[in-house]
Amino acid sequence: MISQSTIDTLRKTEVGARNLFIDGVQTAGATGATLPVISPIDGRPFASIADGNAADVDRAVLAARKAFEKGSWSRAAPAFRKKVLTKLAELVERHADELAVLGVRDNGTEIGMAYKAEPVSAAGTIRYYAEAIDKIYGEIAPTADNVLGLIHKEPLGVVGVIVPWNFPLMIGAWKIAPALAAGNSIVVKPPEIASLTLLRLAELAAEAGLPEGVFNVVTGRGAVAGEALGLHMDVDAIAFTGSGPVGRRLLDYSARSNLKRVFLELGGKSPNIVFADAPDLSQAAVVSANGIFRNSGQVCVAGSRLLVQASIYDRFMDELLKATTKLKVGDPLDLGSDVGAVSSAEQLTKNLNFVAKAAEEGARLVTGGERILTETGGSYMAPTIFENVTEKMQLAREEVFGPVLGVMRFDTEEEAVSLANATVYGLASAVWTSNLSTAHRMVRAINAGVVHVNTYGGADITVPLGGVKQSGFGRDKSLHAIDKYTDLKTAWIALG
Ligand code: NAD
């Protein structure tokens, strides 16, 4: 773990103007225009990124395609790809302090969480796919004796990676690592408000020995650089994490261009269901508070709808309030802070609009609901709980992506299932119960990509992550993710 003195030194590091990363080198954008990087810690600019456009995306895709055709990565022995990616994992670990602090200055996540979730987790992900890639075999089909049917697994070609600002390095690695391990070339479009760590990752990849042109980064605005990538005729797939509306655009771009495949990891409105027989109510309350408030609620799987069984409602709410008010919101680069800054002033305004609407619709504010620490100039928000939330309210239906929890009560298991599934989303969920049968029934009944039991979050790289319904399709993490970045090719050989 990182020390406070290291953090205090690194937080003063000059970052300056950052270029695009194309064909193995840093390069200015076609127009020379830049975007300021504003830290949500204090609201001040501390760097700038290139405002990449369609011409820059063209350059990056061309470099990626050329590298792919050349074959020094795409057709290299898996053992070679493993060696380079293992080296990259080591470099990410070696630079973990630097990457963690850089990322926190960019997006405001509390350092304790950012350190583990960003460089440490990204390094683990890269190592996982590096180790996997020389253990995946093609197949021999069960044919008649006079024929040989071979099923090869091949990389797709050029993969576009578009990720959000909450955990750019971790989520980026979930896509970048399996795509590279399978032999693809990539063009990454980082989130405009948190691009710095992915730019650094590309540099580290070059240092690890990844051939030029295999890993390119075009920073810039989603509606410009992101759109150009989505519409590009020579991009074979887009792996996306972000909001539903942008996910829909990407499907549209695909239909209007070359029918590239699109994998969407979108938002959620995940139910966290506490039954009266939960094994330990106070522990459940602490984990539930962390499950919505850490990283200021900017977690795709955040348990943003809390469903509590009526018979323990008051007791549980007391425990939840205790756990919530204990969370210290403050400077994300202070190891003593449990919750850091909201990623941007715009996101904070969005969160406060949700609060106003919830109050207007009749939900009862239990705690929070306001901007705090205004004297810092940064974007901080008090963890916020509303109760008496009903199915029709905006707070029960729409993703806030902020530290705002809506609480509902239920009597029966059937009612819990019905409330849990009353959403267009289906990303994550949790059930707290001592009854094994209840747990298994709930796992089957809840429409979501993951059902936690007696915990929230923390699922490691060995299991898939992704949603059902409007939370998207395709899975990150685990060996299953590799399927997204490979195609099957049949060889049908007459043996005579
Ligand atoms: P966003 O959809 O606004 O942006 C995500 C990325 O898409 C950014 O890189 C952005 O620049 C790019 N983009 C924006 N407009 C684009 C366009 N027209 N064409 C192409 N690219 C475009 O999302 P956000 O605000 O960065 O992140 C928050 C959202 O992400 C939330 O809805 C959250 O639930 C979701 N999210 C989901 C997961 C998951 O695994 N399912 C994880 C984290 C975040």
Side-chain angles (χ1 to χ4, degrees):
M1 187 52 195
I2 192 166
S3 72
Q4 191 61 54
S5 62
T6 304
I7 295 170
D8 293 339
T9 307
L10 287 171
R11 73 184 300 165
K12 296 184 202 122
T13 313
E14 201 65 47
V15 180
R18 301 303 319 268
N19 278 323
L20 310 173
F21 193 87
I22 297 177
D23 214 5
V25 289
Q26 294 183 26
T27 164
T31 64
T34 60
L35 299 170
V37 179
I38 296 170
S39 178
I41 299 176
D42 55 11
R44 298 213 188 104
F46 70 100
S48 68
I49 52 167
D51 187 11
N53 66 8
D56 297 313
V57 169
D58 273 347
R59 254 196 310 155
V61 174
L62 187 65
R65 177 62 61 190
K66 266 173 45 198
F68 187 78
E69 297 300 338
K70 194 170 159 202
S72 51
W73 184 253
S74 56
R75 289 195 298 277
F80 172 72
R81 299 205 293 264
K82 170 180 171 172
K83 194 169 141 214
V84 172
L85 290 176
T86 303
K87 173 86 179 155
L88 175 58
E90 282 163 17
L91 286 174
V92 171
E93 269 159 6
R94 201 177 307 155
H95 291 269
D97 290 355
E98 172 206 335
L99 286 163
V101 173
L102 187 64
V104 171
R105 290 170 79 188
D106 223 358
N107 75 353
T109 305
E110 56 276 7
I111 185 75
M113 180 180 226
Y115 187 80
K116 281 193 230 144
E118 289 277 89
V120 171
S121 145
T125 297
I126 295 165
R127 182 169 282 116
Y128 176 86
Y129 289 106
E131 285 170 353
I133 205 63
D134 62 356
K135 297 166 190 71
I136 292 174
Y137 293 75
E139 293 165 26
I140 299 175
T143 56
D145 271 5
N146 61 347
V147 160
L148 180 60
L150 300 179
I151 304 168
H152 294 272
K153 288 188 178 167
E154 298 191 331
L156 302 179
V158 177
V159 174
V161 173
I162 305 180
V163 291
W165 39 256
N166 56 342
F167 296 104
L169 205 50
M170 174 179 80
I171 295 172
W174 289 343
K175 301 171 194 311
I176 291 166
L180 289 179
N184 297 282
S185 294
I186 59 172
V187 177
V188 178
K189 211 306 277 170
E192 45 269 62
I193 66 165
S195 295
L196 301 175
T197 51
L198 284 169
L199 279 168
R200 192 72 186 103
L201 184 69
E203 290 169 2
L204 294 176
E207 195 179 326
L210 198 70
E212 286 164 10
V214 174
F215 187 156
N216 308 278
V217 183
V218 179
T219 55
R221 286 164 290 156
V224 180
E227 177 173 292
L229 196 58
L231 282 170
H232 207 286
M233 291 300 287
D234 204 25
V235 170
D236 299 288
I238 294 277
F240 173 77
T241 293
S243 63
V246 176
R248 283 170 198 269
R249 276 174 198 253
L250 288 166
L251 290 173
D252 177 52
Y253 297 156
S254 168
R256 283 162 50 202
S257 55
N258 60 342
L259 296 180
K260 59 181 67 64
R261 33 192 103 175
V262 175
F263 304 106
L264 302 176
E265 305 285 350
L266 309 174
K269 193 77 214 178
S270 301
N272 179 23
I273 307 166
V274 185
F275 283 96
D277 66 352
D280 179 342
L281 279 189
S282 37
Q283 193 231 355
V286 170
V287 176
S288 299
N290 284 330
I292 174 64
F293 297 128
R294 296 298 303 275
N295 197 16
S296 299
Q298 302 164 139
V299 179
C300 54
V301 296
S304 54
R305 287 186 300 145
L306 177 66
L307 278 48
V308 185
Q309 199 155 27
S311 57
I312 49 141
Y313 186 86
D314 292 338
R315 236 172 85 209
F316 188 76
M317 288 302 284
D318 283 348
E319 296 281 357
L320 180 73
L321 189 58
K322 238 192 291 167
T324 301
T325 46
K326 262 197 199 146
L327 293 172
K328 182 172 178 286
V329 183
D331 180 351
L333 286 173
D334 179 344
L335 279 169
S337 298
D338 300 307
V339 177
V342 172
S343 62
S344 66
E346 293 72 30
Q347 185 65 34
L348 179 60
T349 304
K350 206 177 131 208
N351 296 346
L352 294 173
N353 288 341
F354 268 97
V355 167
K357 182 80 175 166
E360 187 191 308
E361 288 187 327
R364 193 184 88 79
L365 183 65
V366 177
T367 185
E370 63 202 345
R371 181 180 179 186
I372 55 172
L373 304 173
T374 43
E375 68 284 2
T376 61
S379 315
Y380 298 87
M381 182 168 170
T384 300
I385 302 176
F386 277 101
E387 63 178 356
N388 298 346
V389 173
T390 62
E391 265 181 72
K392 292 213 158 48
M393 291 180 186
Q394 183 197 44
L395 194 56
R397 288 182 290 109
E398 293 179 28
E399 183 183 43
V400 182
F401 219 57
V404 185
L405 176 66
V407 189
M408 303 160 114
R409 66 173 90 199
F410 68 90
D411 287 302
T412 64
E413 187 178 317
E414 292 67 36
E415 201 186 338
V417 170
S418 156
L419 284 171
N421 289 338
T423 162
V424 297
Y425 293 113
L427 188 56
S429 60
V431 177
W432 298 81
T433 178
S434 302
N435 186 317
L436 202 58
S437 302
T438 309
H440 282 294
R441 276 198 305 272
M442 293 299 284
V443 167
R444 288 183 183 209
I446 295 175
N447 294 327
V450 55
V451 183
H452 301 94
V453 178
N454 296 331
T455 187
Y456 204 100
D460 69 17
I461 188 69
T462 59
V463 288
L465 173 74
V468 298
K469 302 202 281 187
Q470 291 182 33
S471 288
F473 48 84
R475 293 289 181 268
D476 281 330
K477 299 170 54 189
S478 84
L479 295 180
H480 293 286
I482 295 173
D483 293 342
K484 292 195 299 193
Y485 305 106
T486 53
D487 223 341
L488 301 178
K489 180 186 274 176
T490 298
W492 186 257
I493 303 166
L495 299 179

